[in-house]
Amino acid sequence: MPNLLLVPLRPADARRTFYALTAVSAFAFSACFTLNLVFQYRVIGLDPFQMVLVGTVLEATCFLFEVPTGVVADLVSRRLSVIIGFFLIGVGFAFEGLVATFAAAVVGNVVWGIGYTFTSGALQAWITDEVGEEEVGPVFTRETQIDLGASVVGTLAAGALGLVALRVPVVVAGVVLVGLAVGLLLVMPERHFHPTPRGERETFAHLRGQVVAGLRVARHRRVVRAFLLVSLLVGLSSEVFDRLWRVRLLDSFAMPEVFGGDEALAFTAFALVGTLISLAASLASGRWLPRRFVDEHPAVPVVVAVSAQVAAVVGVALLGNLWLVLACVWLRGAGQAFAGPIQAAWLNRNLESGTRATVLSMNGQADAVGQVAGGPPLGALASWASIPVALLVAAVVQAPSVLAFLRVRRSTGRPDAEPVGDVAPAPAT
């Protein structure tokens, strides 16, 4: 009998396995997250500061464990890393749902955050190895379609399970992911894995090299500086909104009679509407705006979208009508979805091939650092003063991002400064 940790009992086709795990994991994540924050507030009884603190712990866990867990995928097995990851995510979900205390929420989020870092990067690297770089593009396209469909099903399932009890979709999602890990242990193939060469491994020395190289590029390019600043500002302000807009609704408004006043049904419907609106906004940014306009004047649609996001946060804080507040929540999501592809293309056009991955990674790190630094103070403000006050401060913190984009001159698709030479990350030591 083979060692199941490294060799599956009955290896399946890699593509079909990837599509199946995509569908199951997307279903489970949507089933958990649709009502998870409502569960934390109503069942566990977390106050605003505790809710934000749980999210901050999750962000810090992902940030700190990204490199150590990557060693498994680099040196041992990407298959094993993915299996461990989904198992830990499932255990974290189920533990939080079953125990339902503040301490359980913190521990559960630490466990599933570590699990997420095991899957991050390893899953994409595994399927790329198995099908080949030339064939993986259509596979990722199909993955996106499957993810969207399964997410909608998971959202509907959360609403149905939430009618039983708010903890049920959280626990079910955890059990499903543990089952997925067991299934992958039996069938997930790995025929083309080769350990990552030493110089290409993600290490803390490599991470330090990324920061140095990214700062070197930012010093010479205003677009890069603007994006790093904006990512930091968005991180500082986003955690309190993402964690507390549902609490704002629960504290201030009765759920609509069309849902029988049931919170599980109401928030399931809110999530579905928000997903559809964000999807439409994402499609609009790619199809409605002339390509030449986006390439030559990217700041215009981005500034409009970011301004809408800031205004939406203010609206959620101040408006006294449920549907107007929901419209602001959906507007913020739509603004993010609309601006996202344009911002990505704008930043990438202003980077050279040798530094692109470095700066993009650093941009994500700036957002993570902002969330860890900004979450607890704004969460404490929400508990001490009120959620609307904390949201208004979050809007003020994000507002300079509009000015940052306005100050960046028209992009022509070329770097906005002279080449800065080879600024690739320093080799790992």
Side-chain angles (χ1 to χ4, degrees):
M1 183 175 179
N3 180 356
L4 289 180
L5 291 178
L6 299 177
V7 181
L9 184 64
R10 301 184 65 178
D13 177 75
R15 281 185 178 85
R16 292 179 181 177
T17 302
F18 183 63
Y19 295 151
L21 73 85
T22 294
V24 174
S25 60
F27 168 87
F29 283 127
S30 291
C32 178
F33 295 144
T34 298
L35 298 175
N36 179 251
L37 294 178
V38 179
F39 160 73
Q40 289 182 356
Y41 186 62
R42 287 297 196 213
V43 178
I44 301 179
L46 304 188
D47 61 34
F49 173 69
Q50 290 174 324
M51 292 188 70
V52 174
L53 186 60
V54 168
T56 301
V57 168
L58 173 63
E59 291 292 335
T61 299
C62 292
F63 185 80
L64 293 174
F65 281 86
E66 188 72 38
V67 170
T69 57
V71 172
V72 176
D74 282 346
L75 300 183
V76 181
S77 165
R78 283 162 183 161
R79 171 185 180 274
L80 179 61
S81 186
V82 170
I83 292 170
I84 292 172
F86 281 127
F87 179 80
L88 290 178
I89 294 171
V91 169
F93 285 177
F95 181 76
E96 178 184 352
L98 289 171
V99 180
T101 63
F102 172 58
V106 172
V107 172
N109 275 264
V110 169
V111 172
W112 90 251
I114 294 173
Y116 173 79
T117 63
F118 271 104
T119 66
S120 176
L123 183 56
Q124 291 77 13
W126 167 77
I127 190 60
T128 301
D129 284 346
E130 295 303 303
V131 305
E133 294 181 3
E134 299 79 11
E135 302 293 330
V136 79
V139 174
F140 284 139
T141 300
R142 181 64 174 158
E143 176 209 15
T144 301
Q145 297 166 349
I146 293 172
D147 187 284
L148 177 61
S151 296
V152 172
V153 175
T155 301
L156 293 172
L161 295 170
L163 292 175
V164 179
L166 287 172
R167 76 172 69 213
V168 173
V170 180
V171 175
V172 168
V175 172
V176 167
L177 288 174
V178 170
L180 173 62
V182 173
L184 292 176
L185 190 68
L186 298 176
V187 304
M188 184 178 183
E190 187 168 51
R191 302 180 178 93
H192 303 287
F193 171 72
H194 301 286
T196 304
R198 181 178 180 85
E200 297 176 17
R201 296 172 195 165
E202 291 290 334
T203 64
F204 285 110
H206 185 270
L207 182 63
R208 184 174 64 251
Q210 284 185 325
V211 172
V212 172
L215 291 174
R216 193 178 302 136
V217 175
R219 189 166 63 246
H220 290 268
R221 300 198 178 137
R222 287 193 296 166
V223 168
V224 176
R225 289 199 300 274
F227 270 90
L228 291 176
L229 173 61
V230 169
S231 292
L232 180 63
L233 294 175
V234 169
L236 287 168
S237 60
S238 64
E239 186 74 7
V240 69
F241 183 92
D242 293 338
R243 289 275 162 177
L244 296 183
W245 71 262
R246 296 168 184 82
V247 179
R248 162 80 168 120
L249 265 61
L250 291 169
D251 281 350
S252 303
F253 308 104
M255 293 298 102
E257 285 300 321
V258 68
F259 304 115
D262 188 273
E263 294 171 353
L265 286 179
F267 278 92
T268 299
F270 300 159
L272 285 173
V273 172
T275 298
L276 294 175
I277 291 175
S278 294
L279 177 61
S282 178
L283 294 173
S285 69
R287 296 184 180 182
W288 292 357
L289 291 177
R291 189 75 264 153
R292 182 176 177 181
F293 176 79
V294 173
D295 290 344
E296 296 185 359
H297 305 280
V300 175
V302 168
V303 165
V304 171
V306 174
S307 298
Q309 293 172 45
V310 174
V313 176
V314 174
V316 172
L318 298 181
L319 294 174
N321 177 276
L322 171 65
W323 294 107
L324 290 178
V325 172
L326 280 171
C328 288
V329 172
W330 295 330
L331 174 63
R332 181 177 179 270
Q336 291 174 324
F338 183 85
I342 302 173
Q343 289 177 260
W346 185 11
L347 178 57
N348 274 279
R349 285 198 307 272
N350 282 274
L351 298 174
E352 296 169 351
S353 177
T355 60
R356 182 169 290 117
T358 294
V359 175
L360 293 179
S361 176
M362 187 174 175
N363 200 47
Q365 292 162 10
D367 179 82
V369 169
Q371 291 191 49
V372 172
L378 288 177
L381 180 62
S383 290
W384 174 69
S386 67
I387 292 175
V389 170
L391 291 175
L392 286 174
V393 173
V396 171
V397 170
Q398 188 180 356
S401 61
V402 178
L403 299 177
F405 282 131
L406 281 173
R407 289 177 61 86
V408 180
R409 69 174 175 83
R410 182 173 69 95
S411 171
T412 60
R414 297 185 300 271
D416 64 343
E418 293 299 315
V420 294
D422 182 9
V423 288
T429 58

